[in-house]
Amino acid sequence: METGRESVAGTKRLPRAVRERQMLDAAVTCFARHGYQTASMDEIAELAGVSKPLVYLYLHSKEDLFTACIRREAEALLATVAGAVGDPDVPPDERLWAGLLAFFTHAADHPDAWVVLSRQARTQGEPFATEAARMRDEIAAFVAGLIGEAAREARDGAAITERDVTALAQALVGSAEALAGWANETPGVTAREAAATLMNFAWAGLGNLMKGERWSRR
Amino acid sequence: METGRESVAGTKRLPRAVRERQMLDAAVTCFARHGYQTASMDEIAELAGVSKPLVYLYLHSKEDLFTACIRREAEALLATVAGAVGDPDVPPDERLWAGLLAFFTHAADHPDAWVVLSRQARTQGEPFATEAARMRDEIAAFVAGLIGEAAREARDGAAITERDVTALAQALVGSAEALAGWANETPGVTAREAAATLMNFAWAGLGNLMKGERWSRR
Amino acid sequence: METGRESVAGTKRLPRAVRERQMLDAAVTCFARHGYQTASMDEIAELAGVSKPLVYLYLHSKEDLFTACIRREAEALLATVAGAVGDPDVPPDERLWAGLLAFFTHAADHPDAWVVLSRQARTQGEPFATEAARMRDEIAAFVAGLIGEAAREARDGAAITERDVTALAQALVGSAEALAGWANETPGVTAREAAATLMNFAWAGLGNLMKGERWSRR
Amino acid sequence: METGRESVAGTKRLPRAVRERQMLDAAVTCFARHGYQTASMDEIAELAGVSKPLVYLYLHSKEDLFTACIRREAEALLATVAGAVGDPDVPPDERLWAGLLAFFTHAADHPDAWVVLSRQARTQGEPFATEAARMRDEIAAFVAGLIGEAAREARDGAAITERDVTALAQALVGSAEALAGWANETPGVTAREAAATLMNFAWAGLGNLMKGERWSRR
DNA sequence: GATGAATGAGCGTTCATTCAT
DNA sequence: GATGAATGAACGCTCATTCAT
């Protein structure tokens, strides 16, 4: 008797790796729900099903724990997107689409992780903001690379400066973040739909930009 | 009697409105610098040049104080943007341009307020996230209105659903937020430049969308 | 009704100086009873009749509190002894006697303070040991000065080196500490008796030393 | 199977007595360095080269471990001194000299043990202070015996009461403790020098006392 | 004989908040 | 109008101690 869930909940003496994963999972949930400062180590430990000292034994401090969360989730997201963008022989718009789709899907599948990365990490001052910026920059670099590639294919690509590209990447990543948050919080919005919106919005705009068409007061 | 010392010691009996403004100013600065949780009422009171009980007398609690900050700054920003968008007779692209310029200028002129609104308010859980979302939605509605107006002017505007418009507005607002943060933190980037980047990016993209041109896998 | 003690215990809103004295008194008692590490801030606060935050507001930390205790008690003891030794015109043996009597009397009147100074402060590592050593050295220098003065009066004083004097001062201070502890813990032993024991023991021994009489294996 | 790794990894199955000695050695070192409260069982176990549960298996608790340290070191010191004082036929001053020399030599050879006995044990409250006092009293009794013996040899020995003897013994032991600490912490001071200082100081003083010469205000 | 896994209990510290004046 | 005095509640962190193997 007492099979299934009970046996899992009551199982003691798990190997360290398993416990660490449980703790990180719990921490991501708590940090997403309450923010870094408000989340308490007590609650995280309880949610992880372990005692507080064990959390400290394995993760050393609240700061280290938060950093570990950011790193794990950032790497998971980056790996997913990088894997989807993949083959450099595919035309850049296809690769952007694949990346966007993977991005929104991942964000939808791991909403807590996404909140931690996009909202909490960036607002908690220095040890963390840098960590989060690293991931953001890596994604922005991805996008900038694709834009640059597309620009080189177009005739007047030279009309775009590097700062333009950076600014565009910022705008694009910002859109993606906003859409991901909106999609996650609005019932019925799929990752595919969010990706399509951004793709339509961005690719067309980018295309015009490549051709040197700029808005100016009539 | 006892005239001399009190008046010399800096004791100023200012009217309530002035004191409240000082407190809100100090609070915005502190909240922007340290975040909601980390900012201490002690520091806010000191920066405001008053004693802590007075802060409580006027603003009731830390939560109320933060809410008051959010409200004041959100209203100021909305008023600025609304004023700039202004006259409904002007074509929508002009109005969008004016709004963007006003928005980025305001964010650049009040960087602490912008940090509080865009970063802190949204990450501090429920009383505040809603408050911040209200402003965000109001701006998004503005934008959505302009997009819709433009769409109605274009022939195939009917091809765009209301949800499309909402999604686009979210994307636009997200871009704007990201660019504002980037512009404020990157020396040498002007509000005008940020606005131009976004205008070029978005208006061209929107234009294509209006014409029913969508990206699709070749 | 309810005069005297109750009115003291229930009196709230005392001026800071009074509260600080209460806290230091309580801290000295606790540190003497349990030692620095074992004494808890909770207990100190309770014994002082205040809440823990007030202790921190005024004394900043456990370390600062302990340091403040050491300083206050060391200064009190030094002032007492210095006052008693007093007039340089009095012959050195009279001055030593007066100093010893004052020392043992003070130690007997403030047993907790004496325990903190002689036992706790010296065993709690670096911030404190130095603080305690300062007082000890000051007393040792006193004694060494008196010994040196006496030596100069004796004919063969030159036979005593400076290191001898230092060693003798150490021995004398050690005797004093041991006797003070013993006197405080043994009922019926007065400060005068302890002082007399040490005076007889030390002064005769010192006298012989001055005359160059040393023990050597027969 | 699985033979190799275990034996290589340093796993040694030592007899209990050896393990206990390792643990006590490590404990004495740690207690001397950090004090009873601050020393951690983790560090002691690590320094002893065993796991923490083994320490508990053999020594039961931190308190028991500390007590065991005190006992072992106190017995070692007492045995050394008792052995040196030795033959009752030798005159008391020779025996005192031998005892002092043995005492200072032992303290110099086992500085950690001496710190534990003289500083830590006496400041850690009740279970330990008593344990340390036992040793101290035993040494004081030794000294008192020698003093008494010498007094009986002198003509006016009857002038000295038993309490005088006890007080003198306390003073002597206190001097010895202070000099031992000073000698251990001052480079260049030998055990022989410390012993000589004390012998000169004390024996001359004691001699005068025996003859009934006491200090009194002129 | 020996240990990796795990915890109950407590401590130093801080902070939002409130009286009494 | 304005403040010095004071606190309840909580939090991050550590440590002696024990199981299960």
Side-chain angles (χ1 to χ4, degrees):
Chain A
M1 86 260 331
E2 300 301 46
T3 66
R5 263 195 85 210
E6 269 69 12
S7 72
V8 168
T11 303
K12 299 285 158 70
R13 316 268 151 185
L14 298 180
R16 175 168 180 155
V18 175
R19 283 286 191 226
E20 283 195 354
R21 229 178 49 88
Q22 291 176 343
M23 292 173 193
L24 287 177
D25 291 345
V28 167
T29 302
C30 285
F31 286 139
R33 264 213 262 283
H34 313 294
Y36 174 66
Q37 298 283 350
T38 309
S40 84
M41 294 299 272
D42 276 287
E43 193 189 348
I44 292 171
E46 191 185 22
L47 189 59
V50 298
S51 70
K52 221 179 358 168
L54 201 58
V55 179
Y56 279 90
L57 188 61
Y58 289 169
L59 278 319
H60 313 115
S61 73
K62 196 182 190 184
E63 191 172 319
D64 280 11
L65 175 56
F66 193 42
T67 304
C69 290
I70 296 174
R71 282 226 176 101
R72 188 182 76 164
E73 300 306 340
E75 270 162 31
L77 175 56
L78 281 174
T80 299
V81 172
V85 170
D87 189 351
D89 293 341
V90 174
D93 60 336
E94 290 276 6
R95 298 176 74 200
L96 182 57
W97 164 252
L100 290 176
L101 189 55
F103 168 79
F104 284 108
T105 304
H106 187 96
D109 289 347
H110 308 280
D112 286 343
W114 175 243
V115 167
V116 167
L117 286 177
S118 66
R119 294 243 215 288
Q120 302 301 342
R122 296 178 64 193
T123 56
Q124 302 306 336
E126 246 339 287
F128 315 120
T130 300
E131 203 70 38
R134 176 154 41 229
M135 179 204 69
R136 193 185 166 88
D137 289 348
E138 220 160 315
I139 290 202
F142 248 131
V143 174
L146 294 177
I147 295 175
E149 200 180 324
R152 251 168 276 120
E153 290 186 358
R155 290 179 221 158
D156 302 332
I160 292 192
T161 70
E162 191 175 337
R163 171 120 131 214
D164 283 338
V165 171
T166 304
L168 281 173
Q170 289 288 338
L172 234 168
V173 171
S175 303
E177 285 174 354
L179 281 171
W182 174 71
N184 276 2
E185 284 151 21
T186 309
V189 178
T190 64
R192 174 164 238 99
E193 184 179 346
T197 297
L198 187 49
M199 192 70 198
N200 283 323
F201 178 52
W203 197 250
L206 290 174
N208 273 16
L209 273 179
M210 300 303 155
K211 293 183 224 132
E213 294 182 10
R214 310 212 166 200
W215 178 89
S216 67
R217 256 163 287 183
R218 293 169 234 176
Chain B
M1 79 270 313
E2 299 299 46
T3 59
R5 256 194 91 213
E6 272 69 13
S7 65
V8 168
T11 305
K12 293 171 193 157
R13 309 247 160 178
L14 299 178
R16 171 160 183 158
V18 177
R19 282 285 192 226
E20 284 197 353
R21 227 176 52 86
Q22 291 176 344
M23 291 175 194
L24 286 177
D25 289 345
V28 168
T29 302
C30 285
F31 287 138
R33 264 212 263 282
H34 312 294
Y36 173 65
Q37 293 286 346
T38 308
S40 82
M41 295 297 272
D42 277 285
E43 191 188 350
I44 293 171
E46 189 186 15
L47 188 59
V50 299
S51 73
K52 231 182 339 172
L54 200 58
V55 179
Y56 278 88
L57 186 63
Y58 285 173
L59 278 318
H60 316 309
S61 74
K62 194 183 190 184
E63 193 172 316
D64 282 9
L65 175 56
F66 192 43
T67 305
C69 290
I70 297 174
R71 283 226 176 99
R72 188 182 77 164
E73 300 305 338
E75 270 162 30
L77 175 56
L78 281 174
T80 299
V81 173
V85 170
D87 188 349
D89 293 340
V90 175
D93 59 337
E94 289 275 7
R95 298 174 75 200
L96 181 57
W97 165 252
L100 288 177
L101 190 55
F103 167 78
F104 283 108
T105 304
H106 187 94
D109 288 347
H110 307 280
D112 285 345
W114 175 242
V115 167
V116 167
L117 286 176
S118 66
R119 294 242 215 287
Q120 301 301 339
R122 299 178 67 191
T123 57
Q124 303 303 338
E126 245 341 283
F128 315 119
T130 301
E131 201 70 36
R134 175 152 45 231
M135 177 204 69
R136 188 187 167 86
D137 289 348
E138 221 160 316
I139 291 204
F142 247 131
V143 174
L146 294 178
I147 295 175
E149 197 179 326
R152 253 169 274 119
E153 290 189 357
R155 288 179 223 158
D156 303 332
I160 291 193
T161 69
E162 191 173 335
R163 170 114 132 221
D164 282 339
V165 170
T166 305
L168 282 172
Q170 289 290 337
L172 234 168
V173 170
S175 301
E177 285 174 354
L179 281 172
W182 175 72
N184 274 4
E185 283 151 22
T186 308
V189 178
T190 64
R192 176 163 235 98
E193 182 179 348
T197 296
L198 187 49
M199 192 69 197
N200 283 323
F201 178 52
W203 195 250
L206 290 174
N208 273 16
L209 274 179
M210 300 305 155
K211 294 181 222 134
E213 295 181 11
R214 311 213 164 197
W215 178 87
S216 66
R217 255 163 289 179
R218 292 169 233 172
Chain C
M1 82 292 288
E2 300 302 46
T3 65
R5 265 195 81 211
E6 269 67 14
S7 71
V8 169
T11 303
K12 298 286 159 70
R13 314 271 151 183
L14 298 179
R16 174 167 180 155
V18 176
R19 284 286 191 225
E20 282 195 353
R21 229 176 51 86
Q22 291 177 342
M23 291 173 193
L24 286 177
D25 290 346
V28 167
T29 301
C30 285
F31 286 139
R33 264 213 261 284
H34 312 294
Y36 175 65
Q37 297 283 350
T38 309
S40 85
M41 295 298 272
D42 275 288
E43 192 189 348
I44 292 171
E46 190 184 21
L47 189 59
V50 300
S51 70
K52 222 175 2 166
L54 200 59
V55 179
Y56 278 91
L57 188 61
Y58 288 169
L59 278 319
H60 312 117
S61 72
K62 195 183 190 183
E63 191 172 320
D64 281 10
L65 175 55
F66 193 43
T67 304
C69 290
I70 296 174
R71 283 225 175 102
R72 188 182 75 163
E73 300 306 340
E75 270 162 30
L77 175 56
L78 281 174
T80 300
V81 172
V85 170
D87 189 349
D89 292 339
V90 174
D93 60 336
E94 290 275 6
R95 298 176 74 201
L96 182 57
W97 165 253
L100 288 177
L101 189 56
F103 167 79
F104 284 107
T105 305
H106 187 96
D109 288 348
H110 308 279
D112 287 342
W114 174 245
V115 167
V116 167
L117 287 177
S118 65
R119 293 239 215 291
Q120 302 301 340
R122 297 177 64 194
T123 57
Q124 302 305 337
E126 244 341 283
F128 315 120
T130 300
E131 201 71 37
R134 176 155 41 231
M135 179 205 68
R136 192 187 165 85
D137 289 348
E138 220 159 316
I139 290 203
F142 249 131
V143 174
L146 294 178
I147 295 176
E149 199 180 322
R152 253 170 273 119
E153 290 186 358
R155 290 179 220 158
D156 302 330
I160 292 193
T161 70
E162 192 174 336
R163 173 119 129 217
D164 282 338
V165 171
T166 305
L168 281 173
Q170 289 288 338
L172 236 168
V173 172
S175 301
E177 287 174 353
L179 282 171
W182 175 71
N184 276 2
E185 283 150 22
T186 308
V189 178
T190 65
R192 176 164 235 98
E193 183 178 348
T197 296
L198 187 48
M199 192 70 198
N200 283 323
F201 178 53
W203 195 250
L206 290 174
N208 274 17
L209 274 179
M210 300 304 156
K211 295 181 221 134
E213 295 181 10
R214 312 215 165 195
W215 177 88
S216 67
R217 254 162 289 180
R218 291 170 234 175
Chain D
M1 75 228 19
E2 300 301 43
T3 60
R5 260 193 89 215
E6 271 71 10
S7 66
V8 169
T11 305
K12 292 171 195 159
R13 308 245 161 180
L14 300 179
R16 173 160 182 161
V18 176
R19 284 283 193 225
E20 283 197 352
R21 228 176 52 85
Q22 290 177 345
M23 291 174 193
L24 286 177
D25 289 345
V28 167
T29 302
C30 285
F31 287 138
R33 265 213 262 281
H34 312 294
Y36 174 64
Q37 293 286 345
T38 309
S40 82
M41 294 298 271
D42 277 284
E43 192 189 349
I44 292 171
E46 190 186 14
L47 188 59
V50 300
S51 75
K52 231 182 340 172
L54 199 59
V55 178
Y56 278 87
L57 187 62
Y58 286 172
L59 279 317
H60 316 310
S61 75
K62 194 183 190 184
E63 194 173 315
D64 282 9
L65 174 56
F66 193 43
T67 304
C69 290
I70 297 174
R71 284 224 176 103
R72 188 182 77 164
E73 301 304 339
E75 271 162 29
L77 175 57
L78 282 174
T80 300
V81 173
V85 171
D87 190 349
D89 292 339
V90 175
D93 59 336
E94 289 277 4
R95 297 175 76 200
L96 181 58
W97 165 253
L100 288 177
L101 190 57
F103 168 78
F104 283 109
T105 304
H106 187 94
D109 289 346
H110 308 281
D112 285 345
W114 176 244
V115 167
V116 166
L117 286 176
S118 66
R119 294 244 216 287
Q120 301 301 340
R122 298 177 69 190
T123 56
Q124 302 304 337
E126 245 340 284
F128 314 119
T130 300
E131 202 70 36
R134 177 154 40 230
M135 178 205 70
R136 188 189 167 86
D137 288 348
E138 220 160 316
I139 290 203
F142 248 132
V143 174
L146 294 178
I147 296 176
E149 200 180 322
R152 253 169 274 120
E153 289 186 358
R155 290 177 220 159
D156 303 331
I160 292 192
T161 69
E162 194 176 334
R163 171 117 129 219
D164 281 338
V165 171
T166 305
L168 281 172
Q170 289 289 336
L172 235 168
V173 171
S175 301
E177 285 173 355
L179 281 171
W182 175 71
N184 275 2
E185 284 152 21
T186 308
V189 179
T190 64
R192 175 164 237 98
E193 184 179 346
T197 297
L198 187 47
M199 194 68 197
N200 284 323
F201 178 52
W203 196 249
L206 289 175
N208 274 17
L209 273 179
M210 300 304 154
K211 295 180 224 135
E213 296 181 11
R214 312 213 164 197
W215 178 89
S216 67
R217 255 163 288 180
R218 291 170 238 175

